[in-house]
Amino acid sequence: MGTPSDFRRSLAERTAAVYAQEPGVVAVLFGGSAALGHADGFSDLELAVVWEAQPSDDARRRLVEAAGGDLVRLYEREPGEPAWADAWQLGRRDGELSTGVEMDMHHFVRADVDAIVETVAAGDPELGAQSFVAALVRGTALHGAELVAGWREAATPYPEALRLAMVRRYGQVEGLWRIEAFAAR
């Protein structure tokens, strides 16, 4: 079976093939520790599915089933949020329900991904957008490789102004004064 990362990659590829057949799915991205080769036996499998338009709940349920998954929950898309999620498990052991790898699947609409990449490239340090673009750049495109490559190109290189904005907003490390106090004690 190989490493836990290899096993999760095989599940991701199999799942992506199912989603790639669905009209309206323009990209599937494999991310997280498994995509980076750092998974262990407890790691989940992270996939992002990019749609041309938001799918119905019925379509999401049908795709989980078609991929051989055990649905745990479909999360609703919150107003104003660019992503929503499905929680499910894949690769059950010995036919027992809910014993597989946890699937952390996020859904996006293409126009929202375009907007996220555009705002990050323009220098917006908002952490959610930054996290998504980091996953986009470091992940593996399992479907829609040309589209993903275009987003990556737009998001890199990381502009110097954005580097500075990120440090200004998030670089303050609280408690460094304590190091000196602890050393003195």
Side-chain angles (χ1 to χ4, degrees):
M1 179 179 350
T3 68
S5 291
D6 293 338
F7 176 62
R8 282 155 180 75
R9 178 175 294 279
S10 70
L11 293 175
E13 290 169 350
R14 189 174 85 200
T15 302
V18 170
Y19 278 77
Q21 298 302 311
E22 181 71 13
V25 171
V26 296
V28 179
L29 189 69
F30 174 42
S33 62
L36 296 173
H38 304 303
D40 62 24
F42 300 100
S43 297
D44 64 359
L45 196 163
E46 296 180 38
L47 289 177
V49 179
V50 182
W51 300 80
E52 200 60 57
Q54 185 171 334
S56 68
D57 289 351
D58 287 340
R60 291 164 56 203
R61 278 188 196 89
R62 181 177 42 76
L63 286 165
V64 169
E65 185 176 310
D70 299 319
L71 182 62
V72 175
R73 181 174 178 189
L74 296 179
Y75 290 90
E76 295 299 318
R77 185 176 187 186
E78 297 293 327
E81 291 296 320
W84 65 104
D86 298 339
W88 52 291
Q89 295 170 335
L90 184 62
R92 65 178 83 129
R93 292 184 299 270
D94 301 323
E96 294 180 42
L97 294 175
S98 300
T99 59
V101 173
E102 182 179 333
M103 298 292 291
D104 185 14
M105 179 172 278
H106 288 85
H107 300 275
F108 296 84
V109 172
R110 180 182 181 164
D112 292 331
V113 174
D114 291 339
I116 291 168
V117 170
E118 184 178 318
T119 61
V120 167
D124 183 356
E126 194 276 318
L127 203 52
Q130 290 291 323
S131 294
F132 175 76
V133 169
L136 177 70
V137 169
R138 296 176 75 190
T140 301
L142 298 178
H143 175 65
E146 287 183 26
L147 184 59
V148 172
W151 288 324
R152 286 179 177 154
E153 185 177 329
T156 55
Y158 207 72
E160 185 63 22
L162 183 54
R163 289 181 208 274
L164 294 173
M166 290 295 291
V167 169
R168 285 185 189 110
R169 182 172 291 178
Y170 304 109
Q172 179 62 38
V173 179
E174 293 294 326
L176 286 181
W177 62 269
R178 292 183 182 144
I179 294 173
E180 188 175 317
F182 292 149
R185 290 184 186 148

